[in-house]
Amino acid sequence: MSPAHHAAARALLADPLTNKGTAFTEAERDAFGLHGLLPPHVGTLESQIARRRRVLDGMADDFHRYAFLRELQDSNEVLFHALVQADLPRLLPLVYTPTVGAGCERFSEIWRKPRGLFLSYPNRDRIADILADPALDRIKVIVVSDGERILGLGDQGAGGMGIPIGKLALYTACAGIHPAEVLPILLDVGTDNAALRDDPLYVGWRNPRVRGEDYAAFVDSFVEAVAARWPDVLLQWEDFAGHNAHDLLGRYRDRLPSFNDDIQGTAATAVGTLLSAIRRTGARLADQRIVLFGAGAAGSGVAELLVQALQAEGLDEAAARARIWAVDRDGLIVSDMATLTPPQVRLARDAAEVVDWPAQDLLGTVQAVRPTVLIGASGQAGSFTEAVVRAMAAGCARPVIFPLSNPISRAEAHPADLLAWTEGRALVGTGSPFGVAGVTQVNNVYIFPGVGLGAIAAGAHRVTDGMFMAAARALGAMGGEGDTLLPPIAALREVALGITVAVARAAVADGVASVAAVDLTEERIAGLMWQAVYD
Ligand code: NAI
C-alpha cells in the first residue's frame, strides 16, 4: 500500500460519518486497506449495539453514559444513531434532557473532539471563512446557542454547545435528517458565570458577555454569513436568555427560515398536549381558565400560541387573552407594572381586575381564578406547592397541570406529588422524564424534529406561526395511552413524520413553500428520512 492509501485508511476510520468500526466487511477491509487497523473479528451493527449496551449497563451514572455516547457519536455516527433509535425511551434522557444539563455544566471536562463550530467574539472577522469549509457544503439545519440560558441552569458559556449537539442528534434520531446535514454552532460571546471564567479548565472565551450593540452586530454578521453560505438553511435559536430570544427571533424570522425552539417549539408542544388533555376531559378550549407561571421565553410563547388557538375557536383576541393569567417573579402580571417585557405587556391583566384580590402571588391567583389549567415555565423548583395544587383541585374535576421546567432539579413540582394532592385526578405533563406512570413528558422533542423536516420538505423560505399551530394540532390529535396525553417516546419517529406532513402542508397554505402540496405525501416524506444503517 502506498503512503496515500495508508493515510486514506486512517481517515476512513477517523471520520465518524464513514467509520464502521468492526462492521467493515472483509471485502471493505481489502479494498480500503483496513487490515491491521481493526481487530480481526467482523461484526454487525446489531453486535456493535449489543457491545455498547453492555458498556452503558456497566457504567456508574448517567453523566458518564452521556460522555460515553458523545464519544461514540464522534467516532461512528451510524452506530450512535442506531443505538439511540433502538431504545429511545432509555437513550433520549442520556443524550438530551435531563443528562445534557450536566453535559453542559461539565462540558470543559469532557471536551474531546471538535463537533460543530465555535464562533467566538475574538474571531468575529473570520466567520465567513470558518463557514466556507467544504465539509459543510451539505448543511440543511443549524442549531445555534450563545449558552446564556441553558435549560434552567443559567449561563453555561461555551458549555452551552451541549444543547445544539443534543438537539441535532434528535433531529437525526427522530426526523431522519442526515448527520452530515446538521451543524451545531455556539456563539461564544463570553460568560457572566464567574465560576466558569475562573475555572482553569474552562474551554470558552474568558470574558464577561459582550452585550448591547456589539452583541447585536456580532449576531448580525453571523446571520448574514449563514444566509450567504446556505440561503435555504433552517436556523434554530436555542437557549438564549429571554430578552435576546425574543429580539433575535423578531429580527431574523423574516430574513431566513428560522425559529426559536424555546418560544415556538415549547408553545406547540404545550398547546398540542393541552388539546389532547381537553379532548380527554371533554371540555372546550374556550372554556378553560389558564394560569401560566413564568412568562419568559417559553411561557410567553405558550401564551401567544394559546391565544391563536382560542381565536381559532371563535373568540376575538381580547376574549382569548382574557382566558389567560400570567404570573411571574413579581406576582400576577398586571398592566400598571413598571418592568414588564414587551411579550409580558401583551399578557398583562387590567390592574382594576385584581384590586380586591387578597394576594396576587401564584397561590392568590389560583384561589381567585380557580384555573382548570396550570402551566409552569419558571425554572423555579417546587413552586407548585401543595397549597397551590389543592386550591386548584378543589375547583375542577380534572386539573391539567404541566410543570414544564427542566431539568428535573428545576421542575415546579414532582408529578407523584401532583397526583397525590389531587387524588389522582390531575392530568400531568412534565418537561423532563420522571418515570411516573400516567404522566406525560411534555418536551419539545415532540415538535422540533417535525417542524425542521417539514420546513425542509416544503422548501420553506420562512417558518410561520401557522406551521407551529399545525404542529400543535397534529400532536394533539395523536393522543396517548391511559392518562398519558402524547404517544410514547418510543414512537417519536412516527410522531415526527406526522408533524412533518402537517407542517409542510401548512407551509404551502401559508404561501412560504417552494414544493407543491401534491408532493408532500407521507410516503414521500418518509422516503426523505435517513436510516441509521451501514451502506
Ligand atoms: P426565561 O428565563 O426566559 O423565563 C423564565 C421566567 O420565569 C422569567 O420570566 C422569570 O422572570 C420567571 N421567574 C423567575 N423566577 C420566578 C419566580 N420566583 N416566580 C415566577 N416566575 C419566575 O426561560 P425560558 O426559556 O422561558 O425557560 C423557563 C423554563 O422552562 C426552563 O426551566 C426551561 O428548561 C423550561 N423549558 C421547558 C421546555 C420543555 O420542553 N418542557 C422547553 C423550553 C423551556
Side-chain angles (χ1 to χ4, degrees), residues 140 177 234 450-460 467 497 500-501 503-505 507-508 513-517 519-521 524-526 528:
K140 289 190 177 157
I177 310 233
L234 180 75
V451 169
L453 184 60
I456 291 171
M467 290 157 74
L497 179 58
T500 298
V501 174
V503 167
R505 289 181 182 162
V508 175
S514 50
V515 171
D519 292 328
L520 295 172
T521 61
R524 196 148 180 165
I525 288 176
L528 298 175

Side-chain angles (χ1 to χ4, degrees), residues 149 266 293 295-298 328-329 377-378 380 404-406 431 442 444:
R149 203 284 286 135
T266 310
F293 184 68
D328 206 80
R329 58 175 78 236
S378 65
Q380 302 303 305
L404 297 184
S405 290
N406 295 323
V442 187
N444 298 17

